[in-house]
Amino acid sequence: MNVRDDTPKPHFVLVPFMAQGHTIPMIDMAHLLAKHGAMVSFITTPANASRIESTIDRARELNLPIHFVALKLRCAEVGLPEGCENVDKVLGKEQVKMLTDAYSMLHKPLVSYLHAQSNPPSCIISDLCQPWTRDVARELGIPRLMFNGFCAFSSLCRYIIHQEKIFENISDDNRLIVLPGFPHCLEVSKARSPGNFNSPGFEQFREKILEEERRADGVVTNSFDELEPLYHEAYQMKIGKKIWSLGPMFLCNTDMDAMESRGYKTSVDGKHCLQWLDSMKPGSVLYVSFGSMARTVFSQIEDIALGLEASMRPFLWVIKSDNKASRVDKLLDEEFEERIRDRVGVPVGVQNITARTMQAHEVYTRRRPMLWQAEPAQGHAAL
């Protein structure tokens, strides 16, 4: 993108879903756009802005045309405590629904902010979980591109499953169904298919996501064509819209400190993790993480601990810090630590790593060769 000094810069409005695995790639996207001459308004909230304060300061120091816009979230009006502005702060699915309602109430403040700008917005790029932004784009007469953080393979699977409702009349959750329109034979069961806000109470929100996914003017993904050309082409043909595959977006970061600053603070030393990973044989380390949204029950943590111990493989295990911390510390006691001492990357115990699982993942992918060597065993919360 080449922009003359005397012409208005394209103005992109980025609206992430307020969960770390969704927000961090969009922070990288903001930097990519700004470095190519565009102006960026990155929409956030006060509590979420405080998490990325060093990122905001760094962008200011580098004189990048990125404006981090913290719009007040009306938590109390939807029944949430003040400051509960990120998905990793909610205590249950009911509160997730309240939070999505609060996000949709940012419509008027966002429109007011954009109307006041001397450089009007050119385009909105928003997370698929922020479907209300399409109404903002229509009101302003600009396109809305949907950001999908998944790869093309999983995006195509998800699109076919949910848009074509292939499980609608299937009573057996374990019955294998062939995905229609997939570029090769692929069978999935309802029990193992990706979630899409399927819990009771999310019906309207789920339908809004699917509706606005169909109406989006294009899609941006955090993948790249060379990784999965077959699925990229099939996904684009399926939705009938342009797909921009801009990933892996974290590669825009050349400074490790800058990369670490995009997420929530953690007590785990990222440099120590890298040093430990560099000391391991290529492809030997197991990485286990279920994201900042998932709330793993204690019995599952016990099973994972037993499985990792029995694997006899070095591992990096990210455990979300929550009200189970004391029980987990008791499980991962000195005896457990002694048994697996030579196979872990950081001290055993519950670390203050809430909402930083994506950061741990990027420890692997910081270098290009590591993109192929990591063996992630990770999941995503299925609401």
Side-chain angles (χ1 to χ4, degrees), residues 18-19 51 80-81 83-97 99 264 289-302 304 317-325 327-328 350 353-355 357 378-383:
M18 311 299 178
R51 295 185 174 198
L80 288 172
C84 185
E85 301 177 8
N86 193 290
V87 178
D88 63 27
K89 290 296 185 182
V90 301
L91 299 178
K93 294 176 181 177
E94 297 79 9
Q95 286 195 343
V96 173
K97 178 61 173 62
L99 196 56
Y264 203 28
S289 169
F290 297 95
S292 59
M293 294 170 62
R295 293 186 176 272
T296 313
V297 299
F298 184 71
S299 61
Q300 293 172 325
I301 294 176
E302 290 181 301
I304 294 170
W317 182 13
V318 181
I319 304 175
K320 181 180 173 68
S321 177
D322 58 16
N323 57 8
K324 298 187 294 291
R327 296 178 69 190
V328 174
V350 179
I353 48 181
T354 304
T357 57
Q378 63 184 105
H380 191 279
L383 291 172

Side-chain angles (χ1 to χ4, degrees), residues 235-248:
Y235 183 36
Q236 187 160 259
M237 289 181 63
K238 190 69 176 177
I239 66 175
K241 295 168 186 172
K242 172 69 176 176
I243 297 175
W244 287 268
S245 293
L246 306 183

Side-chain angles (χ1 to χ4, degrees), residues 157-158 160-180 186-195 198:
C157 291
R158 178 191 164 277
I160 294 172
I161 289 170
H162 297 299
Q163 291 287 1
E164 302 192 14
K165 298 179 169 47
I166 68 170
F167 295 123
E168 191 169 51
N169 298 313
I170 303 298
S171 57
D172 182 357
D173 288 355
N174 293 308
R175 176 184 168 187
L176 291 175
I177 305 295
V178 176
L179 288 189
L186 181 66
E187 296 179 321
V188 295
S189 67
K190 186 176 182 180
R192 293 181 176 271
S193 67
N198 296 326

Side-chain angles (χ1 to χ4, degrees), residues 14 22-35 42 55 66 222 248-253 258-259 262 362:
L14 271 54
H22 294 244
T23 300
I24 289 175
M26 293 199 79
I27 291 175
D28 292 337
M29 189 193 305
H31 282 79
L32 282 170
L33 291 168
K35 289 175 181 178
F42 189 93
T55 295
I66 304 174
N222 194 18
M249 294 185 197
F250 74 88
L251 290 176
C252 72
N253 297 283
M259 190 164 75
R262 296 167 304 156
E362 289 176 355

Side-chain angles (χ1 to χ4, degrees), residues 59-242:
R60 188 179 297 117
E61 290 170 4
L62 295 173
N63 201 31
L64 292 174
I66 304 174
H67 304 282
F68 290 88
V69 184
L71 301 177
K72 179 175 174 55
L73 201 65
R74 291 147 64 180
C75 296
E77 291 187 35
V78 297
L80 288 172
E82 289 296 334
C84 185
E85 301 177 8
N86 193 290
V87 178
D88 63 27
K89 290 296 185 182
V90 301
L91 299 178
K93 294 176 181 177
E94 297 79 9
Q95 286 195 343
V96 173
K97 178 61 173 62
M98 295 176 187
L99 196 56
T100 60
D101 290 342
Y103 293 152
S104 67
M105 294 166 67
L106 294 175
H107 178 129
K108 288 185 178 180
L110 177 56
V111 170
S112 296
Y113 166 79
L114 295 175
H115 274 315
Q117 302 309 299
S118 57
N119 185 6
S122 311
C123 174
I124 291 178
I125 305 177
S126 58
D127 194 282
L128 81 164
C129 295
Q130 300 283 28
W132 58 272
T133 53
R134 176 58 181 164
D135 295 330
V136 175
R138 279 194 289 268
E139 187 170 337
L140 297 173
I142 58 176
R144 181 241 177 177
L145 304 182
M146 185 192 78
F147 173 64
N148 189 340
F150 305 122
C151 63
F153 174 89
S154 60
S155 297
L156 178 58
C157 291
R158 178 191 164 277
Y159 188 89
I160 294 172
I161 289 170
H162 297 299
Q163 291 287 1
E164 302 192 14
K165 298 179 169 47
I166 68 170
F167 295 123
E168 191 169 51
N169 298 313
I170 303 298
S171 57
D172 182 357
D173 288 355
N174 293 308
R175 176 184 168 187
L176 291 175
I177 305 295
V178 176
L179 288 189
F182 205 73
H184 56 75
C185 182
L186 181 66
E187 296 179 321
V188 295
S189 67
K190 186 176 182 180
R192 293 181 176 271
S193 67
N196 189 51
F197 296 95
N198 296 326
S199 300
F202 284 92
E203 293 83 2
Q204 288 186 346
F205 183 63
R206 179 174 65 249
E207 289 305 314
K208 182 69 171 175
I209 287 178
L210 296 175
E211 176 188 353
E212 296 303 346
E213 183 176 25
R214 291 189 294 268
R215 300 171 73 177
D217 297 291
V219 175
V220 178
T221 75
N222 194 18
S223 182
F224 56 102
D225 296 352
E226 294 82 358
L227 178 65
E228 44 178 0
L230 175 64
Y231 306 117
H232 179 275
E233 182 181 359
Y235 183 36
Q236 187 160 259
M237 289 181 63
K238 190 69 176 177
I239 66 175
K241 295 168 186 172
K242 172 69 176 176

